[in-house]
Amino acid sequence: MIDFRTIYILVSYYMETILITGANGEVGHGLIPALFKQAKCKIITLDINELDPDLQKMVQKSVVADINNEEILKKFIEDYQVNTVFHLAAILSTGAEKNPEKAIAINAGGTEKILEIINIVARSRKMVIKFIFPSTIAVYGLPSAESKVKSGAVKEEQFLNPITVYGVTKLYCENLGIYYSDNYQLLTSSQHGFVDFRCVRFPGIISALTIPTGGTSDYAPEMIHSAAQGQGYESFVRPNTKIPFMVMPDAVKALIQLANAPKDKLNKHVYNVSSFSITAGEISDLVNQVFPDSSISYNPDPKRQKIVDTWPEAVDDSAARTDWKWQPDYDLQKSFNEYLIPEIRSKYNKK
Ligand code: SER
């Protein structure tokens, strides 16, 4: 007779093991509870900082380590028989501009290392490892304010001329992931395909639970969170600045849905995903309606403004909608009325 403990051990042995890097960041705070709720996988994490105790309960093992620590990464991926990696570790656009060398080391160097490791491990196991990579609208570089307005919803292949080191490193990693997936050792081997690279290009993400650090789309979450705390806010971009956004539940949904999509349905490796486009002034108007005491003013920082001015007003995510049935759950109204405002109110306990 097999007892329940043995069944549990056997089931958990065959369960998928997911590694999340940069797990203690904003997206990790959304992704870990969502994966945990599905109860279909074991989660292990790596981050430069200690994992939040609330998340700690949901994971099997968390390691504090730099993403460039090859030895730990390799051992971790081998010991836990990782099948899927969500590689979230990165420095966002404003933070990256303050220290480009560090950003190159983490965003590009860290991704190079983990791709190489999973390629080696997957080949030796003769099993595919999925690599889910969050990219960004920062890979785009529209040449002028006029083109930003005129271009409409930008497709994946257009305007790939990023001006930030964040955009440059993300675009490089997209291409490196595709190389490992499709053309590794093009001349000497036909054994590519052990890395299954899948990537979503995110717009600005707004979470009700956490505030991002070091991004250039941060004015949106900062505005809303400041108002909910009864604080004034000085926006570092002009009120007419328009870029696409989505709320965290949709960002998490996109990552999980792409990870679960049947491979034969994917006609691309890199997909735009989008929900709504809005100006800073429109966000401020919505915030003022809910928190009438909030005072939002504008003091554009020319350098940060220059960055968002090269990002598209909207992206075309029709490929994701066709190939893996991507559809955001939250449009603009629903994002504010059913997610951001109630969750943020309860976070800061405001009536
Ligand atoms: N949110 C990112 C940033 O502002 C853009 O993808 O850097």
Side-chain angles (χ1 to χ4, degrees):
M1 275 287 278
I2 302 182
D3 63 15
F4 281 118
R5 195 181 137 67
T6 315
I7 291 173
Y8 174 79
I9 290 168
L10 283 173
V11 168
S12 64
Y13 183 79
Y14 287 108
M15 254 176 147
E16 186 185 15
T17 302
I18 292 180
L19 166 63
I20 304 176
T21 70
N24 202 43
E26 267 227 300
V27 176
H29 275 78
L31 181 64
I32 292 173
L35 290 172
F36 179 72
K37 229 184 254 168
Q38 294 186 348
K40 284 192 202 143
C41 58
K42 291 183 279 186
I43 306 168
I44 62 172
T45 67
L46 182 135
D47 198 288
I48 189 77
N49 296 311
E50 199 77 54
L51 192 64
D52 187 328
D54 289 341
L55 301 177
Q56 193 76 56
K57 306 180 260 214
M58 304 175 189
V59 310
Q60 177 158 0
K61 173 86 181 162
S62 65
V63 159
V64 176
D66 191 287
I67 191 65
N68 280 303
N69 189 327
E70 276 176 81
E71 212 177 301
I72 290 188
L73 261 180
K74 184 151 192 282
K75 187 165 164 32
F76 207 33
I77 289 170
E78 278 175 339
D79 288 357
Y80 284 86
Q81 304 263 318
V82 168
N83 318 89
T84 300
V85 177
F86 287 87
H87 178 48
L88 309 182
I91 300 183
L92 295 181
S93 53
T94 293
E97 284 316 305
K98 290 183 181 158
N99 192 342
E101 292 78 16
K102 187 172 174 193
I104 292 167
I106 290 175
N107 294 4
T111 309
E112 284 169 2
K113 295 210 174 61
I114 191 162
L115 274 170
E116 177 59 15
I117 290 167
I118 66 162
N119 187 46
I120 291 169
V121 173
R123 283 166 158 251
S124 72
R125 268 199 234 151
K126 299 209 182 327
M127 273 175 69
V128 172
I129 296 182
K130 272 187 215 168
F131 190 85
I132 314 301
F133 185 66
S135 188
T136 164
I137 47 165
V139 298
Y140 296 112
L142 285 97
S144 63
E146 202 191 16
S147 67
K148 185 165 155 113
V149 176
K150 277 200 178 151
S151 60
V154 167
K155 288 188 191 307
E156 282 87 351
E157 305 73 23
Q158 292 182 290
F159 300 108
L160 295 175
N161 302 298
I163 66 161
T164 61
V165 69
Y166 176 62
V168 168
T169 51
K170 285 284 184 177
L171 188 57
Y172 164 64
C173 294
E174 288 183 4
N175 285 317
L176 193 63
I178 295 170
Y179 171 71
Y180 272 105
S181 247
D182 293 354
N183 291 313
Y184 184 75
Q185 289 187 333
L186 184 65
L187 296 183
T188 51
S189 163
S190 56
Q191 276 206 316
H192 46 71
F194 284 100
V195 175
D196 179 359
F197 179 80
R198 304 177 179 201
C199 167
V200 274
R201 280 196 196 142
F202 279 130
I205 299 175
I206 313 177
S207 169
L209 306 177
T210 50
I211 306 175
T213 40
T216 317
S217 58
D218 294 6
Y219 58 89
E222 284 172 1
M223 240 178 223
I224 310 168
H225 281 264
S226 303
Q229 294 172 86
Q231 295 164 0
Y233 184 71
E234 193 175 75
S235 167
F236 58 82
V237 296
R238 291 186 308 265
N240 66 350
T241 305
K242 189 173 185 180
I243 61 167
F245 283 98
M246 69 173 40
V247 288
M248 186 59 82
D250 274 335
V252 166
K253 176 181 170 179
L255 286 172
I256 295 178
Q257 211 178 327
L258 179 59
N260 290 337
K263 176 100 177 105
D264 61 350
K265 298 279 184 245
L266 302 181
N267 292 302
K268 285 174 179 289
H269 287 284
V270 176
Y271 290 92
N272 282 336
V273 285
S274 175
S275 175
F276 54 87
S277 289
I278 189 169
T279 66
E282 287 163 343
I283 299 175
S284 145
D285 290 345
L286 286 169
V287 168
N288 272 318
Q289 283 168 21
V290 184
F291 304 106
D293 299 339
S294 62
S295 80
I296 294 168
S297 56
Y298 296 87
N299 183 14
D301 169 347
K303 292 177 179 155
R304 293 180 95 185
Q305 182 73 55
K306 181 175 171 181
I307 294 176
V308 274
D309 283 348
T310 66
W311 294 352
E313 283 197 359
V315 291
D316 179 340
D317 63 359
S318 53
R321 289 178 190 251
T322 306
D323 287 3
W324 43 281
K325 309 290 166 246
W326 158 248
Q327 172 105 51
D329 288 334
Y330 295 86
D331 61 12
L332 175 62
Q333 293 308 322
K334 204 172 161 198
S335 292
F336 273 79
N337 299 340
E338 294 181 31
Y339 170 66
L340 290 170
I341 301 303
E343 296 274 343
I344 290 180
R345 260 192 214 279
S346 95
K347 176 177 168 75
Y348 300 112
N349 208 9
K350 292 267 296 177
K351 295 267 146 51

